[in-house]
Amino acid sequence: MKEYLQSNKHKSRARLRVPTAHVAIEAAHAGSMALLDYFRKPLEVRAKGVANYVSEADLAAESAVVQTIQDAFPTHAILSEESHSDRADAEHSWIIDPLDGTNNFIHGIPHFAVSIGYYQSGQGVLGIVTSPATGDWFVAARGEGAWFNGQPIRVGSAQGLEQAMIACGFYYDRDQMMQSTLDTIGDLFRCEIHGIRRFGAAALDLAYVAAGWFDGFFEYRLSPWDVAAGAVLIQEAGGTLSDCQGNPVTLNRPTSVCASNPKLHPKLLEMVGKRIPKISE
Ligand code: IPD
Ligand code: CA
Ligand code: CA
């Protein structure tokens, strides 16, 4: 795993020209290596809420990522899931999920990510999502493009829901938000979509939309660190990302998310917009 991660790191770095990219790549690599050190080994885990956990792997990856960034840019703002809560719209802001897919990780399922977005005054500049267990890298830089292991990626070309593979996520709520998500899945099946996938790592869901593997993705409540890197990937891969009412996503608070190719987006939005739970925005 580690060799594949390393070789794809080199291919990814070769693509990116923005000055902060080198540091972002090193930070994602450090976080990914920290996660692999803990994967499928006995793990200390603490519950934050229903089905919402933090493990020593989350914390180790976070300190590896944050340390790498702070060594290079001590004055930059950091918003990261477990420990730093600076503003996402600071002049220079790093928005980090050190382990996206904690639930998968603690069950030994090899679908989890490190997600790092670098924003300047609220504008996405860099998005990096790694999948440490497969050694894959998704990277994007504003105005430069989006890549999977060094190869350019684009969103898919599905024109209608009946041509689409759709992904979704469930927030930790087991009440209204869960029910709305289930109802929307039913509505989508009745539109004859190819299928629904719930893989359990939102950063990878967004990366898969950017790569054209998923045609669309929705979730009724996500945190800024789930979305920051994926948003840059989607934008640079030619996709559209909004909240579930069609508004631009802002990263200073939790948000709903709907992402797809521009042609499919209004159709997916129409379906997910019907069921928005009141507590999601
Ligand atoms: C979670 C994952 C999951 C999504 C949840 C997120 P975490 O992040 O991205 O796919 O459905 O809403 O909170 O807690 O594993 O970092
Ligand atoms: Ca997450
Ligand atoms: Ca996390």
Side-chain angles (χ1 to χ4, degrees), residues 198-226:
R198 193 288 192 251
F199 284 176
L204 284 170
D205 291 329
L206 291 167
Y208 282 25
V209 174
W213 304 340
F214 289 151
D215 297 295
F217 166 72
F218 76 96
E219 184 158 349
Y220 285 126
R221 186 182 169 107
L222 283 170
S223 297
W225 44 83
D226 298 313

mmCIF file of all heavy atoms in Angstrom, residues 198-226:
data_model
loop_
_atom_site.group_PDB
_atom_site.id
_atom_site.type_symbol
_atom_site.label_atom_id
_atom_site.label_comp_id
_atom_site.label_asym_id
_atom_site.label_seq_id
_atom_site.Cartn_x
_atom_site.Cartn_y
_atom_site.Cartn_z
ATOM 1 N N ARG A 198 -23.711 3.868 -1.034
ATOM 2 C CA ARG A 198 -23.424 4.609 0.189
ATOM 3 C C ARG A 198 -22.128 4.001 0.726
ATOM 4 O O ARG A 198 -22.131 3.003 1.434
ATOM 5 C CB ARG A 198 -24.595 4.426 1.180
ATOM 6 C CG ARG A 198 -24.576 5.392 2.364
ATOM 7 C CD ARG A 198 -23.497 5.095 3.363
ATOM 8 N NE ARG A 198 -23.696 5.849 4.597
ATOM 9 C CZ ARG A 198 -22.926 6.874 4.973
ATOM 10 N NH1 ARG A 198 -21.908 7.263 4.233
ATOM 11 N NH2 ARG A 198 -23.163 7.482 6.106
ATOM 12 N N PHE A 199 -20.998 4.599 0.298
ATOM 13 C CA PHE A 199 -19.701 3.998 0.610
ATOM 14 C C PHE A 199 -19.123 4.475 1.944
ATOM 15 O O PHE A 199 -18.231 3.856 2.489
ATOM 16 C CB PHE A 199 -18.708 4.284 -0.515
ATOM 17 C CG PHE A 199 -18.917 3.444 -1.770
ATOM 18 C CD1 PHE A 199 -18.135 3.673 -2.899
ATOM 19 C CD2 PHE A 199 -19.870 2.438 -1.822
ATOM 20 C CE1 PHE A 199 -18.298 2.896 -4.054
ATOM 21 C CE2 PHE A 199 -20.047 1.668 -2.970
ATOM 22 C CZ PHE A 199 -19.262 1.902 -4.095
ATOM 23 N N GLY A 200 -19.558 5.649 2.446
ATOM 24 C CA GLY A 200 -19.177 6.035 3.801
ATOM 25 C C GLY A 200 -17.977 6.954 3.947
ATOM 26 O O GLY A 200 -17.408 7.047 5.028
ATOM 27 N N ALA A 201 -17.598 7.644 2.880
ATOM 28 C CA ALA A 201 -16.556 8.672 2.992
ATOM 29 C C ALA A 201 -16.896 9.770 1.979
ATOM 30 O O ALA A 201 -16.676 9.620 0.776
ATOM 31 C CB ALA A 201 -15.171 8.096 2.720
ATOM 32 N N ALA A 202 -17.437 10.877 2.489
ATOM 33 C CA ALA A 202 -17.977 11.918 1.601
ATOM 34 C C ALA A 202 -16.902 12.518 0.687
ATOM 35 O O ALA A 202 -17.181 12.861 -0.472
ATOM 36 C CB ALA A 202 -18.631 13.014 2.434
ATOM 37 N N ALA A 203 -15.671 12.648 1.204
ATOM 38 C CA ALA A 203 -14.609 13.231 0.374
ATOM 39 C C ALA A 203 -14.356 12.350 -0.852
ATOM 40 O O ALA A 203 -14.147 12.856 -1.965
ATOM 41 C CB ALA A 203 -13.323 13.391 1.199
ATOM 42 N N LEU A 204 -14.400 11.030 -0.651
ATOM 43 C CA LEU A 204 -14.226 10.115 -1.796
ATOM 44 C C LEU A 204 -15.467 10.113 -2.690
ATOM 45 O O LEU A 204 -15.352 9.984 -3.907
ATOM 46 C CB LEU A 204 -13.890 8.705 -1.317
ATOM 47 C CG LEU A 204 -12.450 8.514 -0.829
ATOM 48 C CD1 LEU A 204 -12.279 7.148 -0.153
ATOM 49 C CD2 LEU A 204 -11.439 8.651 -1.967
ATOM 50 N N ASP A 205 -16.662 10.256 -2.099
ATOM 51 C CA ASP A 205 -17.873 10.355 -2.933
ATOM 52 C C ASP A 205 -17.721 11.517 -3.919
ATOM 53 O O ASP A 205 -18.009 11.378 -5.119
ATOM 54 C CB ASP A 205 -19.118 10.595 -2.060
ATOM 55 C CG ASP A 205 -19.485 9.383 -1.206
ATOM 56 O OD1 ASP A 205 -19.233 8.240 -1.634
ATOM 57 O OD2 ASP A 205 -20.028 9.585 -0.108
ATOM 58 N N LEU A 206 -17.277 12.663 -3.407
ATOM 59 C CA LEU A 206 -17.124 13.835 -4.283
ATOM 60 C C LEU A 206 -16.009 13.607 -5.314
ATOM 61 O O LEU A 206 -16.147 13.970 -6.481
ATOM 62 C CB LEU A 206 -16.842 15.085 -3.437
ATOM 63 C CG LEU A 206 -18.035 15.557 -2.594
ATOM 64 C CD1 LEU A 206 -17.602 16.594 -1.562
ATOM 65 C CD2 LEU A 206 -19.149 16.134 -3.485
ATOM 66 N N ALA A 207 -14.928 12.971 -4.874
ATOM 67 C CA ALA A 207 -13.827 12.671 -5.809
ATOM 68 C C ALA A 207 -14.310 11.735 -6.924
ATOM 69 O O ALA A 207 -13.933 11.878 -8.091
ATOM 70 C CB ALA A 207 -12.652 12.062 -5.046
ATOM 71 N N TYR A 208 -15.167 10.774 -6.571
ATOM 72 C CA TYR A 208 -15.683 9.831 -7.575
ATOM 73 C C TYR A 208 -16.615 10.542 -8.565
ATOM 74 O O TYR A 208 -16.689 10.146 -9.727
ATOM 75 C CB TYR A 208 -16.442 8.681 -6.901
ATOM 76 C CG TYR A 208 -15.583 7.593 -6.278
ATOM 77 C CD1 TYR A 208 -14.278 7.823 -5.862
ATOM 78 C CD2 TYR A 208 -16.098 6.313 -6.093
ATOM 79 C CE1 TYR A 208 -13.514 6.818 -5.279
ATOM 80 C CE2 TYR A 208 -15.336 5.295 -5.514
ATOM 81 C CZ TYR A 208 -14.045 5.562 -5.099
ATOM 82 O OH TYR A 208 -13.292 4.565 -4.519
ATOM 83 N N VAL A 209 -17.338 11.562 -8.086
ATOM 84 C CA VAL A 209 -18.143 12.360 -9.036
ATOM 85 C C VAL A 209 -17.198 13.103 -9.979
ATOM 86 O O VAL A 209 -17.408 13.140 -11.199
ATOM 87 C CB VAL A 209 -19.075 13.359 -8.294
ATOM 88 C CG1 VAL A 209 -19.782 14.279 -9.297
ATOM 89 C CG2 VAL A 209 -20.113 12.616 -7.454
ATOM 90 N N ALA A 210 -16.134 13.685 -9.420
ATOM 91 C CA ALA A 210 -15.161 14.409 -10.258
ATOM 92 C C ALA A 210 -14.558 13.484 -11.315
ATOM 93 O O ALA A 210 -14.298 13.899 -12.449
ATOM 94 C CB ALA A 210 -14.063 15.017 -9.379
ATOM 95 N N ALA A 211 -14.354 12.218 -10.946
ATOM 96 C CA ALA A 211 -13.730 11.269 -11.882
ATOM 97 C C ALA A 211 -14.747 10.670 -12.859
ATOM 98 O O ALA A 211 -14.375 9.904 -13.750
ATOM 99 C CB ALA A 211 -13.050 10.151 -11.094
ATOM 100 N N GLY A 212 -16.028 10.988 -12.670
ATOM 101 C CA GLY A 212 -17.065 10.448 -13.566
ATOM 102 C C GLY A 212 -17.500 9.031 -13.204
ATOM 103 O O GLY A 212 -18.226 8.397 -13.967
ATOM 104 N N TRP A 213 -17.093 8.538 -12.045
ATOM 105 C CA TRP A 213 -17.471 7.165 -11.642
ATOM 106 C C TRP A 213 -18.869 7.168 -11.035
ATOM 107 O O TRP A 213 -19.637 6.242 -11.245
ATOM 108 C CB TRP A 213 -16.443 6.603 -10.661
ATOM 109 C CG TRP A 213 -15.040 6.614 -11.185
ATOM 110 C CD1 TRP A 213 -14.664 6.702 -12.511
ATOM 111 C CD2 TRP A 213 -13.830 6.563 -10.428
ATOM 112 N NE1 TRP A 213 -13.295 6.706 -12.613
ATOM 113 C CE2 TRP A 213 -12.756 6.614 -11.348
ATOM 114 C CE3 TRP A 213 -13.538 6.481 -9.071
ATOM 115 C CZ2 TRP A 213 -11.429 6.589 -10.947
ATOM 116 C CZ3 TRP A 213 -12.211 6.445 -8.673
ATOM 117 C CH2 TRP A 213 -11.167 6.491 -9.600
ATOM 118 N N PHE A 214 -19.144 8.169 -10.209
ATOM 119 C CA PHE A 214 -20.520 8.453 -9.788
ATOM 120 C C PHE A 214 -21.020 9.599 -10.659
ATOM 121 O O PHE A 214 -20.266 10.540 -10.949
ATOM 122 C CB PHE A 214 -20.578 8.916 -8.329
ATOM 123 C CG PHE A 214 -20.296 7.864 -7.292
ATOM 124 C CD1 PHE A 214 -19.733 8.224 -6.074
ATOM 125 C CD2 PHE A 214 -20.625 6.525 -7.508
ATOM 126 C CE1 PHE A 214 -19.480 7.273 -5.090
ATOM 127 C CE2 PHE A 214 -20.377 5.567 -6.536
ATOM 128 C CZ PHE A 214 -19.800 5.943 -5.328
ATOM 129 N N ASP A 215 -22.305 9.526 -11.043
ATOM 130 C CA ASP A 215 -22.870 10.640 -11.822
ATOM 131 C C ASP A 215 -23.369 11.749 -10.909
ATOM 132 O O ASP A 215 -23.479 12.900 -11.335
ATOM 133 C CB ASP A 215 -24.001 10.121 -12.713
ATOM 134 C CG ASP A 215 -23.459 9.123 -13.723
ATOM 135 O OD1 ASP A 215 -22.660 9.545 -14.580
ATOM 136 O OD2 ASP A 215 -23.779 7.922 -13.617
ATOM 137 N N GLY A 216 -23.712 11.391 -9.687
ATOM 138 C CA GLY A 216 -24.187 12.418 -8.765
ATOM 139 C C GLY A 216 -24.039 11.955 -7.334
ATOM 140 O O GLY A 216 -23.893 10.751 -7.063
ATOM 141 N N PHE A 217 -24.065 12.925 -6.433
ATOM 142 C CA PHE A 217 -23.951 12.640 -4.992
ATOM 143 C C PHE A 217 -24.799 13.646 -4.241
ATOM 144 O O PHE A 217 -24.844 14.818 -4.604
ATOM 145 C CB PHE A 217 -22.484 12.767 -4.551
ATOM 146 C CG PHE A 217 -22.297 12.833 -3.056
ATOM 147 C CD1 PHE A 217 -22.486 11.701 -2.265
ATOM 148 C CD2 PHE A 217 -21.945 14.034 -2.424
ATOM 149 C CE1 PHE A 217 -22.329 11.755 -0.877
ATOM 150 C CE2 PHE A 217 -21.781 14.093 -1.033
ATOM 151 C CZ PHE A 217 -21.970 12.956 -0.266
ATOM 152 N N PHE A 218 -25.475 13.186 -3.174
ATOM 153 C CA PHE A 218 -26.147 14.142 -2.278
ATOM 154 C C PHE A 218 -26.025 13.666 -0.835
ATOM 155 O O PHE A 218 -25.916 12.477 -0.556
ATOM 156 C CB PHE A 218 -27.639 14.322 -2.653
ATOM 157 C CG PHE A 218 -28.512 13.173 -2.231
ATOM 158 C CD1 PHE A 218 -29.224 13.232 -1.025
ATOM 159 C CD2 PHE A 218 -28.616 12.032 -2.995
ATOM 160 C CE1 PHE A 218 -30.034 12.169 -0.612
ATOM 161 C CE2 PHE A 218 -29.409 10.955 -2.594
ATOM 162 C CZ PHE A 218 -30.125 11.031 -1.403
ATOM 163 N N GLU A 219 -26.024 14.647 0.057
ATOM 164 C CA GLU A 219 -26.104 14.347 1.499
ATOM 165 C C GLU A 219 -26.724 15.574 2.152
ATOM 166 O O GLU A 219 -26.406 16.711 1.804
ATOM 167 C CB GLU A 219 -24.719 14.019 2.087
ATOM 168 C CG GLU A 219 -24.823 13.615 3.557
ATOM 169 C CD GLU A 219 -23.637 12.790 4.083
ATOM 170 O OE1 GLU A 219 -22.793 12.336 3.267
ATOM 171 O OE2 GLU A 219 -23.573 12.591 5.315
ATOM 172 N N TYR A 220 -27.629 15.349 3.126
ATOM 173 C CA TYR A 220 -28.381 16.466 3.689
ATOM 174 C C TYR A 220 -27.640 17.254 4.754
ATOM 175 O O TYR A 220 -28.070 18.332 5.133
ATOM 176 C CB TYR A 220 -29.744 15.990 4.206
ATOM 177 C CG TYR A 220 -30.719 15.719 3.075
ATOM 178 C CD1 TYR A 220 -31.370 14.508 2.938
ATOM 179 C CD2 TYR A 220 -30.959 16.702 2.110
ATOM 180 C CE1 TYR A 220 -32.252 14.274 1.897
ATOM 181 C CE2 TYR A 220 -31.838 16.478 1.061
ATOM 182 C CZ TYR A 220 -32.477 15.267 0.953
ATOM 183 O OH TYR A 220 -33.349 15.044 -0.081
ATOM 184 N N ARG A 221 -26.553 16.726 5.254
ATOM 185 C CA ARG A 221 -25.764 17.539 6.175
ATOM 186 C C ARG A 221 -24.314 17.067 6.155
ATOM 187 O O ARG A 221 -24.024 15.907 6.454
ATOM 188 C CB ARG A 221 -26.297 17.470 7.598
ATOM 189 C CG ARG A 221 -25.572 18.433 8.542
ATOM 190 C CD ARG A 221 -26.094 18.291 9.955
ATOM 191 N NE ARG A 221 -25.250 18.999 10.887
ATOM 192 C CZ ARG A 221 -25.572 20.152 11.489
ATOM 193 N NH1 ARG A 221 -26.725 20.720 11.244
ATOM 194 N NH2 ARG A 221 -24.743 20.713 12.338
ATOM 195 N N LEU A 222 -23.436 17.967 5.799
ATOM 196 C CA LEU A 222 -22.003 17.677 5.827
ATOM 197 C C LEU A 222 -21.285 18.841 6.495
ATOM 198 O O LEU A 222 -21.801 19.965 6.542
ATOM 199 C CB LEU A 222 -21.462 17.484 4.408
ATOM 200 C CG LEU A 222 -21.774 16.127 3.754
ATOM 201 C CD1 LEU A 222 -21.412 16.155 2.268
ATOM 202 C CD2 LEU A 222 -21.040 14.988 4.454
ATOM 203 N N SER A 223 -20.082 18.569 6.968
ATOM 204 C CA SER A 223 -19.276 19.613 7.595
ATOM 205 C C SER A 223 -18.281 20.164 6.575
ATOM 206 O O SER A 223 -17.975 19.495 5.582
ATOM 207 C CB SER A 223 -18.516 19.026 8.787
ATOM 208 O OG SER A 223 -19.438 18.575 9.750
ATOM 209 N N PRO A 224 -17.764 21.374 6.832
ATOM 210 C CA PRO A 224 -16.841 21.988 5.864
ATOM 211 C C PRO A 224 -15.681 21.060 5.485
ATOM 212 O O PRO A 224 -15.279 21.008 4.312
ATOM 213 C CB PRO A 224 -16.325 23.217 6.599
ATOM 214 C CG PRO A 224 -17.378 23.545 7.599
ATOM 215 C CD PRO A 224 -18.051 22.258 7.978
ATOM 216 N N TRP A 225 -15.137 20.331 6.457
ATOM 217 C CA TRP A 225 -13.972 19.478 6.148
ATOM 218 C C TRP A 225 -14.330 18.279 5.273
ATOM 219 O O TRP A 225 -13.458 17.696 4.648
ATOM 220 C CB TRP A 225 -13.290 19.010 7.439
ATOM 221 C CG TRP A 225 -14.244 18.557 8.501
ATOM 222 C CD1 TRP A 225 -14.818 17.330 8.606
ATOM 223 C CD2 TRP A 225 -14.749 19.337 9.599
ATOM 224 N NE1 TRP A 225 -15.660 17.294 9.690
ATOM 225 C CE2 TRP A 225 -15.635 18.513 10.331
ATOM 226 C CE3 TRP A 225 -14.532 20.655 10.029
ATOM 227 C CZ2 TRP A 225 -16.303 18.954 11.462
ATOM 228 C CZ3 TRP A 225 -15.205 21.087 11.158
ATOM 229 C CH2 TRP A 225 -16.073 20.251 11.862
ATOM 230 N N ASP A 226 -15.623 17.897 5.226
ATOM 231 C CA ASP A 226 -16.033 16.811 4.323
ATOM 232 C C ASP A 226 -16.030 17.288 2.863
ATOM 233 O O ASP A 226 -15.898 16.485 1.943
ATOM 234 C CB ASP A 226 -17.463 16.348 4.637
ATOM 235 C CG ASP A 226 -17.622 15.779 6.037
ATOM 236 O OD1 ASP A 226 -16.784 14.962 6.435
ATOM 237 O OD2 ASP A 226 -18.593 16.161 6.723
#
